Amino acid sequence: MTIRLPSPLLRFSAFGLLAIVLPAAILGVFGYVSLRKWETSAELLFREQARDLASMTTEKVEMLLLRTEDEILGRIEAIVRRPGFTPDALREVVATAPFVERLCLVDRQGRLLFPAALTPEDMGAVSKLLVEISQAFWERGSRRHVVVGDQVILAAVLRVGSDPLLVALRRNPEVLRREIVEKTLRAVEGPTIIAVIDDQDRPVYARAPLDRAERIATASFGAALPSWRVALYQPEGLSPREAVRRQATVFAIAFGLLLVVIVGGLVATYRLVKRETEMARLKADFVANVSHDLKTPLSLIRMFGETLQLGRVTEEAGRQEYYRVITRESERLSRLIDNVLDFSRLEDGRREYDIVTTAVEPVIRETLEAFDYVLGQQGFKVEVTVPPDLPPVPLDADAVGQALANLMDNAIKYSGDVNTLRIDARIEGDALAISVADTGIGILPEEQPKIFEKFYRVGRSETQGRRGSGVGLALVRHVAQAHGGRVTVESRPGEGSRFTLWFPLCRES
Ligand code: ADP
């Protein structure tokens, strides 16, 4: 029984899920729930405070109002008690106290003592007042606010000797607003807008404009101001709910950014791990492939060498064939070893190129000669097109020969039913182009960019049974780039491939 451990990528994804996504989701849910609670309690607290503030303000206004009325009544009483008092002396009060809009003095029999005459309207109000107040009120000598029509009248009984006198006082609404309400409300500080409103919700006084402000609490006055109320308004956008929301938004953005950074880090690490895992797999394949590639020609050389040594091959033609196999396999072996060594030099950055002006045709011919035997054996149709006037080009002959050998080797390795190898050198623009084309298995378009990466080999089914290490084309690309050129591929699966090496005609200094 084989136990398959989850792959590092799977483990990494599971770790990412458990370590980041899960805590983030839990934190998000908790954050949301506590935000809702926080919002509700902030709102409750805020409204409670607003109610307290409103009722405190009514008390302050009433206190100031009663104190003002007390003072005025005190002055009236002092005047009334003066020896030789004549009602006319009350003019002084009316003249000096703007708070008093109308002042009347009436005796127990309902006779008007002050002022001398009243408008019919005021007279009516006094008559109604006399009906309103009770016998006991006269006897106790008390004071109260009485609503007559739409007006509030302060009624107070003064005892002067045995005869009670009734003082009726109407307040000046403008002075009341300015001196009592405004003075008190201006001293109240806070983010909310405080106002006094009348029975139709019209502001009598407001500390700031009330447009679009929401009313959050009201408190009624006592009998002194029965139709007015203190109201607290919340300016637009200043509700605790909104403040909490703003805080939550800032928090959510910060949290989101943090998550993005974490996820970004995870994705980057994931990619790195993925690449490293892939690289480790490719390297393992590389080692296996190279070992296999080394073993095959070595066993052939050994087998043919031993057979020759034992003198088992008597005919000269047979012996020559054995020698050719040994030579071909040793060449293949050296090519492979060269490739691996050059590749490791290239990896370390130790590969040096000796680029000098070189005739192209001999490089192609000599490289191709090494494949003569195998090409002939596999019945390849070979076409080489090199114009006789092709000028010499700056090249490292060994490196270019090695690159061409890799391309030719691949063309043979990945051949199909029709074996053709076409090599063609030409000048295109300001570059020398050398193409190696085959009619082999071809390469899928999505694989084409990847085949130049080190250790990369196209899916096993395509390359199955075909020896290789996956470094050949990486080396080809390096050689081309070292010359200031490039390598391109055109290929169709099932039809064949054409690799072209491009070398600039002039060396860049
Ligand atoms: P390998 O040692 O596997 O041949 P290379 O680097 O030379 O390594 O090539 C990389 C891969 O590109 C090969 O494994 C093969 O799948 C594909 N390839 C290269 N040349 C050809 C070709 N001429 N036709 C089809 N596929 C090719």
Side-chain angles (χ1 to χ4, degrees):
M1 194 178 88
T2 50
I3 299 168
R4 292 192 63 187
L5 288 171
S7 76
L9 289 180
L10 204 73
R11 271 181 282 160
F12 188 79
S13 315
F15 165 77
L17 193 79
L18 284 175
I20 311 291
V21 182
L22 212 65
I26 293 172
L27 197 65
V29 170
F30 273 122
Y32 180 76
V33 172
S34 55
L35 169 71
R36 303 295 309 181
K37 281 192 187 156
W38 185 20
E39 243 181 53
T40 320
S41 51
E43 185 84 18
L44 275 175
L45 193 73
F46 184 68
R47 285 189 186 270
E48 211 166 286
Q49 279 177 350
R51 270 197 300 276
D52 286 352
L53 185 64
S55 59
M56 223 167 69
T57 310
T58 55
E59 280 167 22
K60 277 190 183 169
V61 170
E62 279 175 334
M63 238 165 65
L64 187 57
L65 174 65
L66 293 183
R67 209 168 57 219
T68 310
E69 288 177 345
D70 272 357
E71 263 171 34
I72 292 168
L73 282 178
R75 280 177 63 191
I76 294 171
E77 195 167 358
I79 292 170
V80 170
R81 287 184 192 285
R82 266 186 218 155
F85 157 74
T86 54
D88 235 19
L90 288 174
R91 272 180 203 285
E92 177 199 325
V93 177
V94 180
T96 53
F99 180 76
V100 180
E101 190 179 60
R102 172 72 71 210
L103 176 66
C104 298
L105 193 67
V106 183
D107 70 7
R108 184 71 183 88
Q109 286 71 42
R111 281 190 304 252
L112 181 71
L113 305 179
F114 180 85
L118 278 178
T119 59
E121 198 186 324
D122 284 346
M123 203 60 228
V126 171
S127 316
K128 276 191 194 144
L129 179 68
L130 288 172
V131 174
E132 281 282 325
I133 58 175
S134 61
Q135 176 68 27
F137 186 82
W138 278 103
E139 275 156 22
R140 269 203 319 273
S142 43
R143 161 204 317 192
R144 69 180 260 224
H145 290 95
V146 183
V147 180
V148 178
D150 59 351
Q151 301 194 349
V152 181
I153 292 174
L154 170 66
V157 172
L158 304 178
R159 300 217 135 266
V160 185
S162 57
D163 204 15
L165 294 174
L166 178 73
V167 176
L169 191 149
R170 199 171 74 208
R171 306 172 295 213
N172 180 323
E174 181 48 36
V175 177
L176 172 64
R177 196 190 74 82
R178 202 178 54 235
E179 297 296 322
I180 311 279
V181 172
E182 194 175 325
K183 236 183 213 171
T184 316
L185 262 57
R186 246 203 256 129
V188 182
E189 285 184 353
T192 45
I193 305 173
I194 192 153
V196 166
I197 53 173
D198 66 12
D199 52 353
Q200 271 149 49
D201 289 353
R202 284 175 310 214
V204 175
Y205 170 77
R207 258 190 44 185
L210 297 177
D211 347 314
R212 286 193 281 173
E214 186 202 345
R215 195 197 298 172
I216 44 169
T218 52
S220 303
F221 289 104
L225 286 165
S227 59
W228 287 3
R229 279 168 300 158
V230 166
L232 268 160
Y233 291 82
Q234 174 180 275
E236 199 187 16
L238 271 185
S239 75
R241 199 171 282 265
E242 277 161 307
V244 170
R245 287 245 165 94
R246 268 197 298 275
Q247 288 287 332
T249 313
V250 171
F251 173 75
I253 291 173
F255 186 61
L257 279 177
L258 191 72
L259 265 189
V260 167
V261 171
I262 292 174
V263 170
L266 264 186
V267 169
T269 318
Y270 175 83
R271 283 199 179 158
L272 203 75
V273 171
K274 196 173 158 194
R275 260 189 51 169
E276 289 303 311
T277 315
E278 180 68 8
M279 202 40 85
R281 191 182 64 75
L282 290 173
K283 272 185 184 163
D285 285 358
F286 170 75
V287 172
N289 288 335
V290 169
S291 314
H292 180 258
D293 270 15
L294 287 172
K295 255 166 85 183
T296 319
L298 267 180
S299 18
L300 277 175
I301 294 169
R302 191 172 158 190
M303 190 178 84
F304 282 69
E306 278 173 2
T307 315
L308 284 172
Q309 196 184 23
L310 291 171
R312 292 223 181 110
V313 191
T314 46
E315 283 177 30
E316 183 53 26
R319 271 206 297 275
Q320 286 303 322
E321 176 65 21
Y322 274 41
Y323 293 141
R324 265 199 299 275
V325 171
I326 291 174
T327 316
R328 187 195 73 205
E329 290 305 315
S330 343
E331 276 170 3
R332 192 208 270 191
L333 206 57
S334 351
R335 256 202 322 276
L336 180 72
I337 292 169
D338 280 352
N339 260 1
V340 174
L341 287 180
D342 279 345
F343 177 73
S344 81
R345 274 193 214 112
L346 181 149
E347 283 279 274
D348 302 350
R350 283 185 292 119
R351 176 82 145 99
E352 280 176 13
Y353 292 88
D354 179 20
I355 302 174
V356 289
T357 310
T358 312
V360 180
E361 195 271 340
V363 178
I364 297 175
R365 187 171 24 86
E366 279 163 27
T367 312
L368 191 61
E369 268 168 15
F371 293 93
D372 269 357
Y373 180 78
V374 66
L375 286 168
Q377 253 205 343
Q378 293 190 18
F380 261 84
K381 196 177 146 215
V382 182
E383 284 173 25
V384 183
T385 320
V386 182
D389 57 348
L390 198 69
V393 176
L395 296 175
D396 177 328
D398 284 348
V400 173
Q402 193 187 13
L404 282 174
N406 274 313
L407 293 178
M408 291 176 196
D409 193 36
N410 281 350
I412 299 166
K413 260 196 307 191
Y414 303 108
S415 60
D417 301 334
V418 188
N419 289 349
T420 321
L421 174 66
R422 275 195 203 93
I423 299 159
D424 152 47
R426 64 205 179 275
I427 299 292
E428 265 193 47
D430 54 1
L432 162 73
I434 310 175
S435 300
V436 177
D438 61 63
T439 48
I441 57 172
I443 307 156
L444 287 167
E446 62 271 23
E447 297 284 0
Q448 292 176 16
K450 299 187 207 158
I451 54 173
F452 296 99
E453 284 165 21
K454 59 184 178 187
F455 307 130
Y456 190 83
R457 307 195 75 208
V458 177
R460 281 161 196 277
S461 59
E462 292 284 300
T463 45
Q464 211 169 30
R466 293 172 166 98
R467 63 203 165 72
S469 55
V471 297
L473 287 180
L475 209 85
V476 171
R477 183 171 63 174
H478 197 269
V479 170
Q481 287 174 346
H483 285 78
R486 65 205 158 93
V487 55
T488 54
V489 60
E490 300 145 71
S491 183
R492 274 165 178 268
E495 289 182 24
S497 316
R498 180 178 145 110
F499 287 85
T500 307
L501 286 165
W502 302 83
F503 299 105
L505 294 180
C506 306
R507 276 201 73 185
E508 287 155 19
S509 53

